[in-house]
Amino acid sequence: MRKTAIVTGSTSGIGLGIAEALAGAGMNVMLNGFGEACEIEAHRRRIAGRSGSEVGYNAADMSKPDAIASLVEETRERFGRIDIVVNNAGVQTVAPIEDFPRERWDLIIAVNLSAAFHLVRLTFAEMKDRGWGRVINVASAHALVASPFKSAYVAAKHGILGLTKTVALEGAEHGVTCNAICPGYVLTPLVEKQIPETAKARGISEEAVVRDVLLAAQPTRAFVEVGQLGALAAFLCSDAAAQITGTALPVDGGWTAH
Ligand code: NAD
């Protein structure tokens, strides 16, 4: 029987790449995230068509615990089981702390950190009972190091590493692993949006942001690719990764080796 994965924030960017990789590895996938209905349906059909896996979609707003409960309920109704949870949905705001909008702090903590707690809270018992499960948290290099003007994001991403380790310890004797993938910069809409914000916060041009801020952080001087993260997520879901748990896995072109 095919395993089932929920991938939050999988209508775009990294989550979409992970959903494609997991479907390609034989898992049924529940997509989640915002966007145009026709675009999301096109992604759903493309992934299902290429992989032969069943692919669903649920529009839960991951900042809302009740919506997260509905996501879990609908996934169980449709697929009968939940084996893998990928906590990927994320938002970002770049601003100096004294100007940081309070409501953005609350939203970033809710989506980038608390949502993972809720999704694991609602699915962990099932994974433990079955004796097999995978929790993958898409954290960030910003779970390991900080940058200025990203107070909420860095706090949420450091927080999710703590959650990762705790869940790993609670799942260890039950065949349930939990790891954090820590990407460097990936050229997705989340990063494209912060280029003008960073230019404003630092008083430099957008070209300088890409060259002197984003790629300067990565010794390889190249963006990480979505497919590289999808491949790692699929590996973490394999039995070869059964002893990898509680880790933060950087995929950051050497950024955190500095
Ligand atoms: P993205 O903007 O392309 O995708 C974000 C996804 O999250 C979208 O599907 C969006 O609809 C969804 N989303 C946002 N708010 C949501 C909410 N309230 N409820 C449900 N879904 C919601 O961004 P991305 O770059 O692919 O980011 C994905 C994850 O990777 C995030 O957690 C981000 O912090 C992390 N990350 C990104 C980078 C990068 O350079 N792009 C680097 C490190 C970590």
Side-chain angles (χ1 to χ4, degrees), residues 8-15 32-35 60-63 87-91 107 111-112 138-141 153 157 182-191:
T8 70
S10 48
T11 53
S12 168
I14 295 168
N32 157 263
F34 300 148
D61 178 342
M62 296 304 292
S63 69
N87 291 301
N88 167 80
V91 287
L107 182 72
V111 177
N112 296 19
V138 179
S140 171
Y153 188 85
K157 295 298 186 181
C182 298
Y185 286 110
V186 191
L187 201 53
T188 65
L190 180 135
V191 165

Side-chain angles (χ1 to χ4, degrees), residues 7-28:
V7 185
T8 70
S10 48
T11 53
S12 168
I14 295 168
L16 182 58
I18 291 178
E20 299 206 36
L22 296 191
M27 285 105 187
N28 290 330

Side-chain angles (χ1 to χ4, degrees), residues 13-256:
I14 295 168
L16 182 58
I18 291 178
E20 299 206 36
L22 296 191
M27 285 105 187
N28 290 330
V29 176
M30 183 61 100
L31 300 173
N32 157 263
F34 300 148
E36 295 293 328
C38 57
E39 274 179 34
I40 294 170
E41 178 56 14
H43 289 314
R44 198 194 65 72
R45 280 174 183 268
R46 189 189 67 253
I47 298 170
R50 274 195 199 152
S51 61
S53 298
E54 258 195 75
V55 182
Y57 167 67
N58 178 287
D61 178 342
M62 296 304 292
S63 69
K64 304 208 158 39
D66 289 348
I68 298 172
S70 310
L71 165 65
V72 168
E73 208 173 301
E74 194 192 322
T75 308
R76 285 209 179 102
E77 268 168 26
R78 168 142 189 190
F79 298 111
R81 54 192 289 156
I82 299 168
D83 305 275
I84 298 159
V85 160
V86 182
N87 291 301
N88 167 80
V91 287
Q92 170 69 292
T93 291
V94 181
I97 196 157
E98 61 272 31
D99 301 331
F100 208 92
R102 277 172 52 181
E103 63 286 359
R104 292 298 295 181
W105 171 277
D106 290 342
L107 182 72
I108 289 168
I109 299 297
V111 177
N112 296 19
L113 177 57
S114 302
F117 159 70
H118 291 297
L119 196 49
V120 174
R121 177 177 68 79
L122 294 164
T123 55
F124 206 53
E126 178 185 339
M127 294 186 205
K128 281 182 10 185
D129 286 350
R130 204 176 282 121
W132 195 98
R134 295 288 187 264
V135 178
I136 299 174
N137 296 323
V138 179
S140 171
H142 282 118
L144 301 165
V145 294
S147 293
F149 313 126
K150 297 185 175 178
S151 51
Y153 188 85
V154 171
K157 295 298 186 181
H158 275 64
I160 208 160
L161 277 197
L163 179 68
T164 301
K165 292 176 192 171
T166 307
V167 171
L169 295 180
E170 293 188 30
E173 290 181 31
H174 305 275
V176 182
T177 70
C178 178
N179 292 286
I181 297 178
C182 298
Y185 286 110
V186 191
L187 201 53
T188 65
L190 180 135
V191 165
E192 284 161 2
K193 179 179 157 281
Q194 62 183 279
I195 292 172
E197 289 179 8
T198 304
K200 189 170 166 225
R202 291 183 181 243
I204 57 176
S205 70
E206 294 188 18
E207 296 69 36
V209 170
V210 173
R211 188 187 58 240
D212 301 335
V213 180
L214 303 185
L215 294 182
Q218 299 192 181
T220 55
R221 296 279 184 270
F223 285 106
V224 177
E225 288 172 21
V226 163
Q228 295 163 343
L229 301 170
L232 177 55
F235 174 70
L236 288 173
C237 293
S238 72
D239 288 333
Q243 290 299 321
I244 301 175
T245 195
T247 67
L249 296 163
V251 186
D252 64 3
W255 176 348
T256 52

